Amino acid sequence: NQVVPAWRGCKKAQQDFQFADRALEVKTSRATILDRVSISSVQQLDEDGMAPLVLSVVHVHANETSGETLPEMVKSLRAVLLDDVLDLLDEGLVEVGYLDEHEKKYEKTRYQLNDVMHHEVKDGFPRLLREDLPDGVKKVRYEISLDAARDFRIDEKAVHEIFEGVKSA
């Protein structure tokens, strides 16, 4: 129940989940071959004030026959949340454009989890930093190679240790 209050991606924050002093950015892809992820701004992987910063890449397979639909995932999540946190989830879902009355729109596509890769973003990680941008550069979007980020991979246990006991920002 600490994760939902930290969900800031629905509010267009730089990282999807922000805690008092650390953050988690999540990228999801349905690519057949997952070899890169898109970064939408230079601040997204800048750990300034948010260290450690973790980048989690979720690889899914979308089809019409097996896996879970988006409404099924939302229902499962709602079933395990406390009421006060449930309200925050519902507010965030509305902000990202998910409305229960549109469930039919999402019923055909089912998602199966292929893989999740976690990376600790720190010195040496392949990324752009604000301090390195030339004067006059106002907006940056770029892609990083997951192969180039391989040395920064951490396991799920390490992710749990990074976020254990933290409070949302």
Side-chain angles (χ1 to χ4, degrees):
N1 285 310
Q2 288 295 326
V3 174
V4 176
W7 180 31
R8 308 310 297 154
C10 62
K11 306 261 186 217
K12 307 225 184 300
Q14 295 303 327
Q15 294 88 23
D16 292 312
F17 297 89
Q18 293 180 339
F19 299 88
D21 63 346
R22 55 200 72 194
L24 173 71
E25 175 61 24
V26 180
K27 298 294 182 182
T28 303
S29 176
R30 300 185 312 181
T32 305
I33 298 172
L34 181 59
D35 63 344
R36 69 189 80 182
V37 292
S38 296
I39 307 303
S40 59
S41 73
V42 71
Q43 293 93 345
Q44 202 164 52
L45 295 183
D46 193 334
E47 79 269 29
D48 185 33
M50 293 288 187
L53 171 60
V54 174
L55 170 65
S56 293
V57 180
V58 181
H59 189 207
V60 297
H61 173 67
N63 64 78
E64 292 186 11
T65 56
S66 59
E68 277 188 294
T69 65
L70 184 56
E72 289 169 346
M73 288 182 233
V74 169
K75 185 177 181 179
S76 295
L77 188 54
R78 285 177 173 153
V80 298
L81 294 176
L82 301 174
D83 288 343
D84 59 332
V85 177
L86 185 58
D87 290 340
L88 288 174
L89 174 69
D90 288 339
E91 287 171 23
L93 289 171
V94 168
E95 291 212 32
V96 297
Y98 180 89
L99 302 172
D100 290 334
E101 57 259 29
H102 297 149
E103 279 185 6
K104 291 257 186 247
K105 185 174 155 180
Y106 304 108
E107 285 181 346
K108 282 192 177 183
T109 307
R110 297 184 164 277
Y111 299 93
Q112 290 178 298
L113 182 63
N114 285 343
D115 193 16
V116 180
M117 294 174 278
H118 305 287
H119 306 80
E120 187 171 1
V121 179
K122 57 186 180 181
D123 287 346
F125 189 86
R127 64 188 166 149
L128 296 174
L129 296 172
R130 267 184 302 208
E131 64 195 39
D132 297 332
L133 293 179
D135 286 341
V137 174
K138 299 296 181 192
K139 186 173 182 173
V140 175
R141 295 173 86 79
Y142 64 101
E143 294 181 343
I144 60 168
S145 160
L146 292 174
D147 191 48
R150 181 180 316 270
D151 291 344
F152 297 88
R153 284 199 187 144
I154 57 175
D155 62 20
E156 194 163 323
K157 181 180 179 207
V159 174
H160 284 278
E161 288 171 0
I162 288 170
F163 293 102
E164 188 173 33
V166 298
K167 303 285 185 214
S168 57

